[in-house]
Amino acid sequence: MAPVVSTVAMIRDQLRRSRLAAGMSQEEYGKRAHYSPSMVSAVELGQTVPNLAYLTRADEVLDTGGLLVSLRELGRRDGEPVWFRPWLEVERVATQLRCFGATMIPGLLQTADYARAVFRLDLGLTAERVEELVAARLERQVILDREHPPQLTAVIDEAALQRFAEGCAGVLAGQLRHLVACARRPHIRVHVLPQAVGLHAGLFGPFILGRTADGSWLGFLDNQTGGTAVDENNEVATLLGRWESLRSDALPRQQSIDLLEEIVKPWI
């Protein structure tokens, strides 16, 4: 069993033990914590992954001394796959982030429903593991809500925005509305690379670039089975060059927002 499953199971078991030690039923605990009995049950059965607000309240009601939030921090570090963790540390200290989405929306801008739909494409993942990955994906996005967030610029191929089909149209519509909302935030820029561009430098695949406080750039490449961190100067320079090419071919900010709204309009 993967470490992240053990961590999540530990949180779930500790929640139940702490509630029982306090002599509370699920209903009584729910009333004190301001959660429904069904929510409490879903968390303890592993049907729902508890978020920070839930565990913070649980620590208060059950008087655990902050244990549950501390366990969650361990789970957060283990939530993303092992190969992705070094890049998470880069994102957490980056002052600027640049990402290119070739076939899907970049992870930092994904909704929970969109991320869930993407993870479910891997038939080897259990439903519980999918929810763990979704929770980790949303936790990763917390950097965008900090008091001093990084400046994020995303270029997304228009093809990734047009994947409407029966069964997933609602998910993509919600995702595009979220993209518009993100694009209007002062520290986020979203640019669409129109299909009319034809062949472009992004056809080599999606990537992310991060600039640290000392001015250096690092990169990360996605692939079918994992990902690769890039810190060699020549390789980083190649990614920066491809980024400049993509950014110059992409639509300006407002035109990109207008196109997003036009694409989603028939599906609202």
Side-chain angles (χ1 to χ4, degrees):
M1 185 176 292
V4 65
V5 176
S6 298
T7 304
V8 172
M10 187 186 304
I11 294 173
R12 183 170 64 244
D13 292 345
Q14 188 60 51
L15 269 167
R16 183 173 181 276
R17 290 195 191 99
S18 298
R19 177 179 61 76
L20 293 175
M24 297 183 201
S25 65
Q26 289 185 343
E27 183 175 2
E28 182 181 358
Y29 167 74
K31 288 181 179 178
R32 296 192 184 189
H34 309 301
Y35 287 100
S36 67
S38 61
M39 176 64 174
V40 176
S41 175
V43 168
E44 293 188 3
L45 290 174
Q47 298 170 345
T48 297
V49 178
N51 59 19
L52 178 59
Y54 188 99
L55 294 179
T56 299
R57 185 60 180 154
D59 276 332
E60 295 171 353
V61 173
L62 300 174
D63 194 23
T64 64
L67 174 63
L68 297 171
V69 170
S70 296
L71 289 176
R72 177 182 179 274
E73 175 63 17
L74 293 177
R76 181 184 65 79
R77 290 179 176 274
D78 288 343
E80 293 282 2
V82 173
W83 51 263
F84 194 62
R85 292 176 200 162
W87 177 255
L88 290 180
E89 297 304 317
V90 174
E91 282 189 347
R92 290 180 188 125
V93 300
T95 57
Q96 296 180 43
L97 290 166
R98 298 173 177 177
C99 53
F100 170 66
T103 57
M104 66 178 67
I105 311 302
L108 284 171
L109 298 173
Q110 290 179 4
T111 64
D113 287 341
Y114 183 90
R116 185 175 294 110
V118 170
F119 288 130
R120 283 176 177 169
L121 295 175
D122 186 343
L123 301 182
L125 297 178
T126 65
E128 182 179 25
R129 180 57 177 155
V130 167
E131 291 306 312
E132 289 163 356
L133 288 170
V134 171
R137 178 60 48 86
L138 298 182
E139 178 65 26
R140 176 186 167 201
Q141 298 171 5
V142 168
I143 61 170
L144 299 177
D145 297 319
R146 294 188 313 217
E147 184 177 358
H148 300 291
Q151 293 291 321
L152 170 64
T153 304
V155 172
I156 306 173
D157 196 309
E158 185 181 351
L161 310 174
Q162 298 279 8
R163 298 187 180 279
F164 289 92
E166 185 177 354
C168 69
V171 171
L172 188 54
Q175 174 64 71
L176 296 193
R177 289 195 295 270
H178 177 68
L179 266 184
V180 171
C182 288
R184 296 189 185 282
R185 301 181 70 179
H187 60 289
I188 299 176
R189 300 288 187 274
V190 175
H191 301 276
V192 176
L193 187 68
Q195 294 188 43
V197 169
L199 299 178
H200 56 76
L203 295 176
F204 292 102
F207 62 89
I208 316 174
L209 287 160
R211 187 175 191 267
T212 57
D214 64 2
S216 61
W217 286 93
L218 299 170
F220 187 85
L221 305 175
D222 281 322
N223 60 52
Q224 284 280 347
T225 59
T228 304
V230 177
D231 58 7
E232 200 278 323
N233 288 341
N234 289 337
E235 293 180 346
V236 171
T238 296
L239 291 180
L240 285 168
R242 289 180 182 170
W243 168 263
E244 292 301 327
S245 175
L246 291 166
R247 177 63 190 86
S248 65
D249 285 338
L251 297 175
R253 183 188 191 191
Q254 188 55 53
Q255 287 185 33
S256 295
I257 292 174
D258 292 342
L259 179 56
L260 286 167
E261 292 179 332
E262 180 182 337
I263 291 172
V264 77
K265 189 180 300 182
W267 303 95
I268 294 178

